[in-house]
Amino acid sequence: MVFKRLLGSLGVGGPTVDTVLDPGPARPGGALTGRVHLEGGQTDFEIEHLTLELVARVEAEHAEGESEGVVAFERVTVGGGFRLAAGQRHSVPFSVTLPWETPVTELHGQPLGIVLGVRTELAVAGARDKGDLDPLSIAPLPVQEAVLEAFGQLGFGFRSADLEYGHIAGTGQRLPFYQEIELTPAPRYAHQVNEIEVTFLAGPAGIEVVLEADKRGGLFSGGHDALTRFTVGHHDSRDWNAEVDAWVRQLTEHRAAYGHHGVHGHGAPYAVQEHHDHHGHEGERGSGPGVGTAVAAGAAGLAVGVVGGMVAAEVVDEVGDFFEGEEEGGED
């Protein structure tokens, strides 16, 4: 889906811009590649700069409830400083490194309902205009995929995914929002939790995996949220089913005192744990042997167990509606 329009701030006869991303999803921390195609207008123009802006639809909680908005989380100038003659066609290739915390939008080719986009801004003759907006698809990193696959193999199911505005206290989070992947509990944990939320905070050295459980209340106690955090290396090779099952057991069975940690921006108390990978201490997110074929071994099971039920057409329509609304809204 590519949107192309005249630059409104330049009036009729101005240049047009058309951004085309290379096929296939990108990955967090990897390269986003493509080309920006320009076509000159009725007169010559000096192209001052050509900038790509990554945007996301994000939910925010506040006193009045929840609202949704668009957050720009990266801006990169990919060209500029040249003259575009009347009627001339010019193509600018680009390769942009994505932030490590870029949210995952799909798993095994199935959309998760996360809306990301690439917005193109062209500055000409002192005027700036955002020329088009394209959907951005992001596949998980191998370790992210392995962890989600393990949840699927353990019997957890996909419920929803969203982006929350705010910061998870005590983490190395860099973006102004974080992704939550909400899972229904496996049968063995259904009597203990209503759902488990998974958040990945990736960085160059490894990934923080934050798990939050909405725990069920007992006969003499109300329900509450529990939260725990683990760190893993990008190249860790583990029995991920056993690893994730151990994480969930520690999360659901933990009896630490509650305290306000400002985690996820909620006001309710949390039982908080921290755990680190098997290769080092705090901050030493060491690397181990490569992740072999373990990730791919149960991929089909996760596609059914976690992502099953998501209708691709509905997500595509939702993305299209969101982008069209942005286009109609104009600049802030």
Side-chain angles (χ1 to χ4, degrees), residues 57-118:
R57 186 185 66 185
V58 176
E59 297 180 1
E61 294 185 3
H62 43 80
E64 291 75 23
E66 290 188 354
S67 60
E68 291 186 345
V70 178
V71 173
F73 61 97
E74 184 75 323
R75 281 177 59 88
V76 180
T77 297
V78 297
F82 61 90
R83 174 179 289 270
L84 185 67
Q88 178 188 0
R89 293 183 177 181
H90 183 70
S91 181
V92 178
F94 62 83
S95 179
V96 174
T97 300
L98 293 170
W100 280 100
E101 292 177 19
T102 300
V104 174
T105 67
E106 64 175 62
L107 188 60
H108 305 307
Q110 303 232 24
L112 299 179
I114 298 298
V115 181
L116 301 182
V118 180

Side-chain angles (χ1 to χ4, degrees), residues 119-243:
R119 186 157 51 192
T120 307
E121 180 181 280
L122 186 63
V124 181
R128 294 188 305 168
D129 204 302
K130 296 170 181 176
D132 68 356
L133 184 59
D134 301 277
L136 175 60
S137 297
I138 304 294
L141 294 166
V143 170
Q144 294 173 325
E145 187 173 291
V147 170
L148 292 174
E149 175 60 20
F151 273 108
Q153 292 293 327
L154 292 169
F156 290 82
F158 176 80
R159 175 169 287 167
S160 65
D162 57 25
L163 304 181
E164 296 283 344
Y165 188 80
H167 189 275
I168 304 176
T171 69
Q173 180 185 339
R174 294 182 178 275
L175 293 186
F177 56 84
Y178 53 89
Q179 181 175 19
E180 288 185 338
I181 299 174
E182 300 178 0
L183 306 178
T184 57
R188 78 184 74 172
Y189 295 111
H191 67 288
Q192 294 175 284
V193 297
N194 294 311
E195 69 176 16
I196 286 183
E197 297 174 347
V198 183
T199 295
F200 295 110
L201 298 175
I207 299 176
E208 292 179 86
V209 184
V210 182
L211 302 182
E212 180 181 350
D214 178 9
K215 302 183 72 172
R216 297 186 184 277
L219 181 61
F220 301 105
S221 63
H224 62 275
D225 291 337
L227 184 140
T228 186
R229 187 172 76 242
F230 305 86
T231 61
V232 297
H234 286 295
H235 304 290
D236 284 5
S237 180
R238 311 182 186 183
D239 180 345
W240 288 107
N241 283 18
E243 188 82 9

Side-chain angles (χ1 to χ4, degrees), residues 279-317:
H279 304 288
H281 301 290
E282 175 82 35
E284 298 177 1
R285 300 173 190 170
S287 60
V291 177
T293 58
V295 171
L302 183 62
V304 173
V306 172
V307 191
M310 178 65 73
V311 181
E314 293 179 359
V315 176
V316 171
D317 289 343

